[in-house]
Amino acid sequence: MTVVETGRIEMADISSEQALDEMFEALEPVPEGLKVEIVEGTVYMSPQRDTHWEIILDIIEQLRAKYPRKQLKSDVRIDYPGHLNGFATDVTAMAEGAERSEAGRWRHEDVEFVAEVISKGTAANDYGPKKAAYAAAEVPAYLIVDPYVRRSLLYTQPKDGDYATETKIAFGDEIDLTDTVVGLSLDTSEFPRD
């Protein structure tokens, strides 16, 4: 494993899962208060902000109307399709009966819903490579919450590596997930703004 100036760690002749494992192990211990993800082989560390956390917690609390606590994850590594994608999604809702892989990680095939709350330094990932990876994994509903522009984008109906539907929702309006596997609406009226 070699670290190059761009911040990428190049892995030769090993599987993507092994490469991700080695990259995450090399980063341990992660300082408290930092979130670590690997997107297309690049390591990103970002601090958790109050606004960010309040929105995450609000979404999780609302999802509890359908999902038991054990099916909701936050900042837990899940590997997604594409080159070296080990994401620690802000909010993940797992299907009933979801089981961990032999390596002890949750499988992207069991993800029903993902929400990412935008941070300035990593926003391009959420709108770009992460969206592509979630679509390739056929995650039924992907929500981007952007406190800087005070709106959310909901992507549904994954097909052929992209989402067929994009819906813009202003803060204060409901995010209608009733036609998805999630089967409920999220109230955004208390989402804080940045």
Side-chain angles (χ1 to χ4, degrees):
M1 169 167 68
T2 309
V3 178
V4 293
E5 287 183 26
T6 62
R8 284 187 173 247
I9 299 175
E10 300 296 329
M11 309 303 274
D13 301 324
I14 60 174
S15 74
S16 290
E17 185 175 332
Q18 280 182 296
L20 280 170
D21 288 346
E22 287 184 18
M23 291 171 78
F24 277 106
E25 286 172 18
L27 296 167
E28 291 183 13
V30 175
E32 189 171 326
L34 288 180
K35 173 182 174 173
V36 175
E37 293 187 297
I38 300 173
V39 179
E40 296 185 328
T42 302
V43 175
Y44 293 89
M45 290 184 169
S46 54
Q48 196 70 274
R49 296 177 348 272
D50 278 345
T51 300
H52 195 93
W53 177 242
E54 287 176 29
I55 293 171
I56 291 168
L57 190 55
D58 194 345
I59 293 169
I60 289 171
E61 288 173 344
Q62 293 183 63
L63 289 173
R64 290 278 288 130
K66 175 180 178 179
Y67 292 93
R69 184 176 294 124
K70 68 180 181 175
Q71 286 177 245
L72 296 172
K73 310 296 173 200
S74 180
D75 293 341
V76 173
R77 174 184 164 190
I78 298 175
D79 297 345
Y80 284 90
H83 177 69
L84 299 178
N85 286 323
F87 303 158
T89 307
D90 291 328
V91 179
T92 304
M94 306 297 292
E96 185 175 347
E99 294 184 11
R100 294 175 190 255
S101 69
E102 287 181 19
R105 282 186 292 284
W106 297 104
R107 302 169 340 113
H108 68 79
E109 294 89 350
D110 295 325
V111 174
E112 292 186 340
F113 170 83
V114 166
E116 295 283 10
V117 180
I118 294 297
S119 294
K120 283 186 180 180
T122 59
N125 289 336
D126 296 328
Y127 288 109
K130 290 174 93 175
K131 177 183 164 234
Y134 296 140
E138 298 186 352
V139 173
Y142 172 41
L143 178 67
I144 296 176
V145 180
D146 191 333
Y148 302 102
V149 295
R150 298 179 175 100
R151 79 163 181 232
S152 300
L153 291 173
L154 176 63
Y155 297 96
T156 57
Q157 301 176 356
K159 184 175 182 178
D160 299 328
D162 200 1
Y163 283 100
T165 305
E166 175 186 301
T167 307
K168 294 179 183 177
I169 306 106
F171 277 25
D173 295 340
E174 285 203 344
I175 298 169
D176 185 1
L177 294 162
T178 56
D179 288 339
T180 71
V181 67
V182 178
L184 52 81
S185 292
L186 299 175
D187 178 10
T188 68
S189 63
E190 293 189 22
F191 285 4
R193 282 97 169 133
D194 253 346

